[in-house]
Amino acid sequence: MRRSLLGAELLIVAVLLSAPLPAASQATEPCALLVGYGGQGFLPFVDGGALNFAVGERLHVLTPAGGATVQLIDPRGRVERHELAGGIQTRLKEFGRGDGGVWRLVSGDRCEMTLTVSERGSVIYGEVVVEKDFRGAIVLSIRGPPYIGFSVEEPRDDRNVLWTRPGGELLLELGRPIRSVVVYLLYPDRVTISGKVGETPFTYTIDPLVGVYRYERPVRGTQVPVRLPELGSVGPGGTFPLRYGTYTLRVMGTAPDGQQFSMTFAVEVAPFAFRAPRLSTYLVTDVDKLREGIRLVFLNYETGTVESIALKVPMYEVVVLDERTGQPIEDYSLSVEGMIGVRDGAATVLLPRSFDLREVQVGEDVLKVKPSLIIEGVNLTGVVREVILRRGEPTVLSVPMSEVQLRVRLAGHQDAIRAKVSLNGSTPLELEGAARIRLPAYLYNATAETPWGRVGGLFDASREREVELVVYAPTDLTLALAFAAAAQLAVLAAISLRAYRAGSRHRVKSESG
């Protein structure tokens, strides 16, 4: 793995130096710069790219050849100018308390990278995403820092999970004699930098290596020690600094008989004097638990404490009532753009699809929305006006309802027939005869599909209590007349065809005579 990393670094230098260089009297190509955290490994300076730093970490730069001028611009716009000597690693900045924010590193007059500096585990930020799973349960997901999440109560398998503080030493039990071994300390996720080198789009992805520990001679026993770097520092042969969180220890070894083996450990790095609770980024819950309140676990790395904070998900409740009886309407669906709806009895609870994690203490108490409403299969969105939603207080929508006797029959018959009836273009209702249906008291355009044809009509559910659609199907006499007319047409067609053929033969004989 180290060979691949070294090869990647040499490739970066080759790519950066392949651009045309200016005259000898001028500085080197402005983008030909390497950026690092103070370790042996470096990352390419990619125009338009971005890197993350934390308070306590150091920004180092290196020009492969020739000198260069760089500017470091803080979040307030203040500029630090640095003149760099070629081939010498230079520490530009050690970020301290109060340096959090977005910095800009500018090389020359046109190449720029963004450096986002975060406080060390003492800031609450991120986003909560609210979804429904296939069962209709509510799923909360946190997109934010790794030190904020939901507590996981299930037991876990800790056999290959280690715990330590920064700078601590771990003894890895490999369970076999060891002739040689290499241990890589890595972030769990790869790091990608995207931007441009010159005018060429460039993407660089690397295994975020914190340190490499090599044991080239036979090791006594079956354990190897690994001492982690201090917080914000880079380990031997590494590129990235140690931070709080979970890391991967990848072991590649050789036994005395020459057989190769590999193992993987997880190590949790935290400032606590005890093992911190496991955190999950998602939680499956329901409306009742949301009302009771959800607790988040906050691993405060700055104070070394584990805190519990309340997550109050913004909830807005809507109840649809029959205006005439005051009773709840059960058969309805209500939706609002940007929100998910969850039925809770006769009420619909509306939740935002996402909200800022900092809204655990604040949030909008009043919203004005334009809902989509379907009652008894009838879409009423066009007649529903804007409504006011108040957090913690039900919003009532009153809709006048009516019961209508609906039947479809054939002309000349009194019995109702089977039909599919659509009201205002809604999903067709299956009628096996006459049916009494409950509808919002509005004007309807009804269309019925039957085996004998299609029929439509208008009715006002606020006034009419019985609605009848009549299909005018052909009678037996009509069918007989139509059959007789078709037969007559067939006879006339046969006579015309015979006369045409006879005339053709007569013309042929006349021409030949």
Side-chain angles (χ1 to χ4, degrees), residues 5 11 42-43 73 87 116-117 126 152 201 207 216 220 252 278 293 323 337 363 385 418 445 480 496-497:
L5 293 173
L11 177 60
F42 277 86
L43 302 167
I73 305 172
T116 301
V117 181
V152 178
D207 290 316
E216 303 292 349
R220 180 179 300 177
M252 308 294 292
R278 284 182 66 198
E323 186 179 85
E337 186 176 357
R385 300 178 180 177
R418 181 167 49 89
N445 181 9
S496 298
L497 179 60

Side-chain angles (χ1 to χ4, degrees), residues 198-230:
E199 297 300 322
T200 304
F202 181 72
T203 297
Y204 177 68
T205 301
I206 186 174
D207 290 316
L209 187 65
V210 177
V212 184
Y213 304 86
R214 301 180 182 275
Y215 299 87
E216 303 292 349
R217 298 179 180 178
V219 177
R220 180 179 300 177
T222 60
Q223 295 180 331
V224 292
V226 174
R227 180 170 293 280
L228 271 61
E230 295 294 335

Side-chain angles (χ1 to χ4, degrees), residues 18 21 23 60 118 148 157-158 164 183 208 211 257 330 359 379 381-382 393 403-404 411-413 421 429 496 502 505:
S18 63
L21 295 176
H60 289 241
S118 59
I148 297 177
D157 184 359
D158 284 344
T164 186
V183 181
D257 60 0
E330 297 287 347
E359 291 185 13
N379 193 335
T381 301
E393 179 181 332
E403 283 195 356
V404 176
H413 299 269
V421 180
L429 305 172
S496 298
R505 286 196 296 270

Side-chain angles (χ1 to χ4, degrees), residues 445-474:
N445 181 9
T447 302
E449 294 280 356
T450 76
W452 295 271
R454 182 179 182 183
V455 64
L458 296 174
F459 70 93
D460 188 347
S462 65
R463 298 180 180 180
E464 301 179 56
R465 295 294 176 263
E466 294 185 1
V467 176
E468 189 176 73
L469 301 177
V470 181
V471 180
Y472 289 90

Side-chain angles (χ1 to χ4, degrees), residues 23 41 56 64 71 98 112 131 137-138 157 160 174 191 219 250 263 283 286 301 367 394 403 409 422 445 511:
Q71 300 177 69
E112 180 177 314
E131 299 173 299
I138 301 170
D157 184 359
N160 281 354
L174 305 185
V191 172
V219 177
R250 192 175 300 162
M263 299 180 69
L283 176 71
D286 55 39
Y301 292 144
L367 292 177
E403 283 195 356
R409 68 177 178 84
S422 176
N445 181 9
E511 291 173 0

Side-chain angles (χ1 to χ4, degrees), residues 265-298:
F265 297 85
V267 55
E268 296 178 2
V269 180
F272 313 112
F274 51 88
R275 175 161 290 185
R278 284 182 66 198
L279 300 184
S280 173
T281 58
Y282 73 94
L283 176 71
V284 179
T285 185
D286 55 39
V287 171
D288 291 336
K289 292 178 181 178
L290 290 183
R291 289 196 178 102
E292 294 172 3
I294 302 296
R295 308 297 298 184
L296 288 176
V297 177
F298 173 34

